[in-house]
Amino acid sequence: MLSVDVEKRLGEFSLSATFESGGKATALFGSSGSGKTSIVNMIAGLIAPDRGRIAFDDVVLFDSSARVNVPAHRRRIGYVFQEGRLFPHLSVAVNLDYGRRMNGLTPDPQEQQRVVDMLDIGHLLKRRPGRLSGGERQRIAVGRALLMRPRLLLLDEPLASLDAARKREILPYLVRLRDEAQVPMVYVSHHAGELRRIATAVVRLEGGRVRAAGGLELLDEADADAL
């Protein structure tokens, strides 16, 4: 169970968000500037709330009243950014292993092969990122995040930089990730159609506030509001 109750002022923007979710794939859904990325950055520990509490299962990650703020590298949270952020001078195989090595984890060849097979990237291991398509780079970024053995996976608009063909290429892998990886996800997007394929729960944001939290029906309500 992910529990978020945070407040944060970022310049002129004020964010105040409270929600809980225990789904396999929780969508943070809203227009650009609604606070989605700020929330995942607070969950990840990249920015600190001004006030509030963030907990995942029985682990408190942030609590302003108790003065708890677990450093990002100790939260065991994987993060997939919009642009993948692979190391261009390293092979795919070394990029994949980076998270495990940086977290001081022992090698697990069976787990690595499971992730490679799930994402269908075995034929890419010797390549450099510059020789990959956008969809392939994002699959590598997902694999790298999984191999650090996270308890939670954050994906911040992972398809935003891809064209329609590459989005169609990677979506089945994200659905497979949701169903097979056994790691809960928080998935950020402003595309309702994309989220209908992936999300199991939805938190709808507007202007830095949670407008509603529930199931996929919130995506239909958003479509109706746009008419």
Side-chain angles (χ1 to χ4, degrees):
M1 174 69 72
L2 174 66
S3 175
V4 175
D5 178 11
V6 293
E7 294 179 3
K8 181 71 175 180
R9 178 167 288 279
L10 297 161
E12 296 299 314
F13 180 72
S14 173
L15 184 145
S16 179
T18 301
F19 64 90
E20 290 187 343
S21 180
K24 284 185 176 181
T26 300
L28 297 187
F29 173 62
S31 60
S32 296
S34 60
K36 306 183 300 296
T37 295
S38 296
I39 290 174
V40 293
N41 282 340
M42 284 186 264
I43 296 170
L46 301 183
I47 59 175
D50 295 333
R51 184 213 64 81
R53 188 176 188 272
I54 302 171
F56 182 69
D57 290 341
D58 58 346
V59 178
V60 177
L61 303 174
F62 179 88
D63 189 328
S64 57
S65 62
R67 297 185 178 180
V68 173
N69 187 10
V70 178
H73 66 280
R74 294 183 180 173
R75 294 193 180 195
R76 287 187 55 208
I77 293 177
Y79 200 145
V80 179
F81 298 89
Q82 290 185 19
E83 65 279 10
R85 299 192 183 182
L86 303 180
F87 298 106
H89 61 293
L90 300 178
S91 69
V92 165
V94 178
N95 267 285
L96 282 173
D97 202 39
Y98 180 80
R100 179 199 66 78
R101 289 188 292 108
M102 290 300 294
N103 283 275
L105 301 173
T106 57
D108 187 340
Q110 288 186 331
E111 175 63 10
Q112 178 163 337
Q113 190 61 51
R114 186 183 73 85
V115 170
V116 166
D117 291 344
M118 180 175 64
L119 296 172
D120 191 22
I121 54 178
H123 62 295
L124 304 174
L125 296 179
K126 295 182 180 180
R127 295 188 192 177
R128 298 279 180 91
R131 296 180 56 207
L132 304 176
S133 71
E136 288 169 342
R137 285 193 293 270
Q138 286 301 80
R139 281 152 57 196
I140 304 307
V142 170
R144 180 176 62 184
L146 287 175
L147 287 171
M148 64 170 284
R149 300 172 206 167
R151 54 186 162 209
L152 178 66
L153 185 62
L154 309 175
L155 299 100
D156 185 12
E157 305 229 31
L159 307 186
S161 63
L162 305 181
D163 60 27
R166 294 293 175 258
K167 288 180 180 181
R168 288 193 296 271
E169 169 194 320
I170 196 173
L171 265 170
Y173 293 102
L174 294 176
V175 172
R176 191 174 182 185
L177 172 68
R178 178 198 66 199
D179 294 340
E180 297 182 17
Q182 298 180 338
V183 178
M185 302 189 300
V186 175
Y187 192 101
V188 172
S189 180
H190 59 273
H191 289 288
E194 181 181 320
L195 293 176
R196 286 189 182 94
R197 294 279 305 275
I198 296 169
T200 59
V202 176
V203 177
R204 186 177 173 190
L205 294 159
E206 286 186 8
R209 303 293 187 270
V210 175
R211 175 167 176 178
L216 299 185
E217 70 277 359
L218 296 181
L219 302 175
D220 298 327
E221 293 174 9
D223 286 343
D225 290 348
L227 296 177

